[in-house]
Amino acid sequence: TARSIADRAGANGIAATTVGSLPAFCLGTGGVNSCLVVLRDSLGLFGSEEALNEMLSVREGNTPGLSTNERFARLMGEAQAQAPIWGVAVGDAVPEFFRAWLPAQGNIQLDWAKAFQSVEALVYNVETADTVRLDVKLECTNDQSAESTRQVFEGLRMVQQMAWQSTNPGKPNPFQALEIARDGRRLSLKMATNYADLQTFNPTGGF
């Protein structure tokens, strides 16, 4: 649950900060941070500090909700809302999603906005148990841009594998089983890894 994640963060010395009027636990700084806000024991919000401020403003009725966006509403219908962790991103929020969740690329400096400028939207689901299953679906502007984006992910996977071997020798790579597929202008990213292996994840060996 979101509460247990927050408790674990505190136990590992990750101090709480305030986002909106609620405590949040953040990794990273500035525009590349990734935060969790606990709303109640089984409900939390994930994202950058800026994104969480906007979400909380909507929940408090100070900002119009994304349900007024036709594309966002359609993607919400496609999301497997029964999954414990799921989400939708459109437009500029797409590169922010990857920048927050995949912050490290070894010695490679990546322009996230440029790399994913042709991705119009994404839907993701995470199933959590002994095996963690990640499923991300991306919509690109056309078939050609989807193929270019697929190649970006293939390059990132190669960099990640080399970085992992350098910084985490002898440890299982939780991203080893990442599958990347394209169907027309849509991309699919799937990964299944043991929870125990994911606990060894060192961000310096990530994407």
Side-chain angles (χ1 to χ4, degrees):
T1 65
R3 173 59 64 185
S4 64
I5 295 173
D7 290 343
R8 182 174 298 175
N12 283 278
I14 302 176
T17 186
T18 300
V19 175
S21 59
L22 297 174
F25 297 90
C26 300
L27 293 174
T29 58
V32 295
N33 65 356
S34 182
C35 302
L36 161 68
V37 167
V38 177
L39 300 177
R40 56 177 183 268
D41 283 350
S42 60
L43 182 63
L45 298 177
F46 298 86
S48 67
E49 185 173 346
E50 180 181 1
L52 291 184
N53 269 309
E54 293 177 1
M55 284 188 277
L56 291 172
S57 180
V58 171
R59 287 182 61 87
E60 294 169 358
N62 299 322
T63 304
L66 286 173
S67 59
T68 59
N69 183 304
E70 183 177 347
R71 171 181 287 171
F72 191 87
R74 174 178 59 82
L75 293 169
M76 284 281 289
E78 295 181 11
Q80 298 179 15
Q82 70 272 19
I85 303 173
W86 61 277
V88 173
V90 296
D92 293 342
V94 173
E96 291 299 324
F97 168 86
F98 287 108
R99 181 160 54 183
W101 285 87
L102 307 173
Q105 316 103 50
N107 294 323
I108 303 299
Q109 298 299 315
L110 182 65
D111 184 337
W112 294 102
K114 183 176 181 180
F116 299 109
Q117 62 184 347
S118 64
V119 181
E120 297 181 330
L122 69 80
V123 177
Y124 71 90
N125 302 283
V126 183
E127 295 284 351
T128 55
D130 291 339
T131 298
V132 178
R133 301 182 184 277
L134 170 68
D135 186 357
V136 183
K137 295 181 176 64
L138 302 95
E139 289 187 357
C140 299
T141 53
N142 52 48
D143 291 9
Q144 183 178 1
S145 64
E147 176 59 22
S148 297
T149 305
R150 185 193 66 79
Q151 293 176 14
V152 169
F153 279 113
E154 292 287 2
L156 285 173
R157 178 167 60 181
M158 183 179 298
V159 170
Q160 188 274 333
Q161 291 174 350
M162 291 187 294
W164 185 272
Q165 292 173 3
S166 174
T167 58
N168 299 279
K171 294 182 179 179
N173 184 348
F175 295 100
Q176 186 69 40
L178 178 66
E179 298 177 5
I180 306 169
R182 182 176 74 85
D183 182 8
R185 69 185 189 93
R186 290 196 168 198
L187 288 178
S188 172
L189 309 177
K190 293 186 178 182
M191 184 185 76
T193 186
N194 291 332
Y195 181 73
D197 292 344
L198 196 60
Q199 287 182 304
T200 68
F201 175 58
N202 177 349
T204 61
F207 282 101

